[in-house]
Amino acid sequence: MSANTGCATSQVNPTFEVNHIYDVSRQKGITFDDLLPQLLSADVIYIGEEHYTPSHLEAAQTILNALLAHDRHPVLAMEMFSWDGQSGLDRYIQESEFPTEQMIKESQWNTNWGGEFSDYQPLVTFAKSHKLKIFGLNPPRPLVRLVATKGLTEALQDPEMRKWPIQEIVTDNPAYEQLIFEQIEACHPGLPKHVYRRIFEASIFRDEGMAQIIANYLNTRSGTDRPLVSYTGGGHIQYKIPVPKRVERKHPGVKSITIYLEAWDPSKEQEVRSEMQNGIADFLWLTPLGPQGLQPRCG
């Protein structure tokens, strides 16, 4: 997949086109070459995808290829893998003959993400072929389910929680609460209020857990390892609120950028223009639709 390589546009209300990138703060189209200096100077690059969209995996690979071509040593962190499968991921990257089927089993893929591995295999295979470490970002599903069932306060007292790197969870964040509640209610209409609250607390738990993994990397990385490329659903990076702000709290001064991937269809023009005007991310990258066509962002 190739992003726009022609002349950057400068209009305040740019014309939206597939395979084009937009600088959100300046409300203008740019080229991938314009984006490159930001990629090369970042400690963390947050990519927000629409799930099961092949062009978004291709965009991530374009970014990783550019980093490698400029002598960077990126690592990849993926929402689709969880903490309890890290050892399986490590073996897959480190051992050239380690079977993919065994990695799927040892990474706990089916009990955590649960979708078809083939949907994300191209990005995982890219990492293996370039020996890029992959971090699983998600807390194990049983822990998330525990929060959704018992609520955050009670769940954090469970002995299982003490086995994992949950250090601090900030719940008093009005901007986060407004953003997430609006999306929960849109994606799960008609539920009782206490159920919405539990889903919301599970969302906090997941975002805080992802932020902790990224902060751990920043605290322990070698002198040559950078940047971390975080690949999650767009909902985890929008307006920098869910995960990026939590990482900044844990690691002040981190240099990061957010790239919001959007599968483009002309029917989405008003939605995309609103996202641009409201500052959805640092950069918006429009890509071709996936095989499932238009789909809501609920993760």
Side-chain angles (χ1 to χ4, degrees), residues 29-45:
I30 63 170
T31 68
F32 187 81
D33 286 345
D34 295 327
L35 176 63
L36 186 58
Q38 302 266 6
L39 300 176
L40 296 179
S41 64
D43 295 309
V44 183
I45 299 168

Side-chain angles (χ1 to χ4, degrees), residues 38 42-46 240 244 248 254-258 282:
Q38 302 266 6
D43 295 309
V44 183
I45 299 168
Y46 296 97
K240 298 191 175 183
E248 289 178 12
V254 62
K255 294 178 65 176
S256 64
I257 64 169
T258 54
D282 293 316

Side-chain angles (χ1 to χ4, degrees), residues 29-73:
I30 63 170
T31 68
F32 187 81
D33 286 345
D34 295 327
L35 176 63
L36 186 58
Q38 302 266 6
L39 300 176
L40 296 179
S41 64
D43 295 309
V44 183
I45 299 168
Y46 296 97
I47 302 175
E49 68 144 21
E50 291 175 319
H51 296 324
Y52 313 114
T53 303
S55 60
H56 291 182
L57 300 175
E58 293 166 10
Q61 290 173 69
T62 297
I63 289 169
L64 289 167
N65 266 321
L67 293 169
L68 291 166
H70 287 79
D71 298 320
R72 298 302 188 272
H73 298 86

Side-chain angles (χ1 to χ4, degrees), residues 162-220:
R162 301 191 184 110
K163 299 178 182 179
W164 302 103
I166 298 293
Q167 297 177 6
E168 178 188 16
I169 298 181
V170 172
T171 58
D172 183 18
N173 185 331
Y176 180 90
E177 185 160 345
Q178 179 180 354
L179 178 68
I180 300 302
F181 258 106
E182 286 177 357
Q183 295 178 355
I184 292 171
E185 290 170 349
C187 293
H188 307 281
L191 298 178
K193 288 185 178 180
H194 74 277
V195 176
Y196 282 130
R197 186 70 198 180
R198 295 285 172 81
I199 296 174
F200 169 69
E201 290 182 350
S203 179
I204 292 175
F205 177 68
R206 289 184 65 211
D207 286 333
E208 198 73 74
M210 292 184 192
Q212 187 63 60
I213 296 300
I214 296 171
N216 288 349
Y217 158 80
L218 293 170
N219 290 333
T220 60

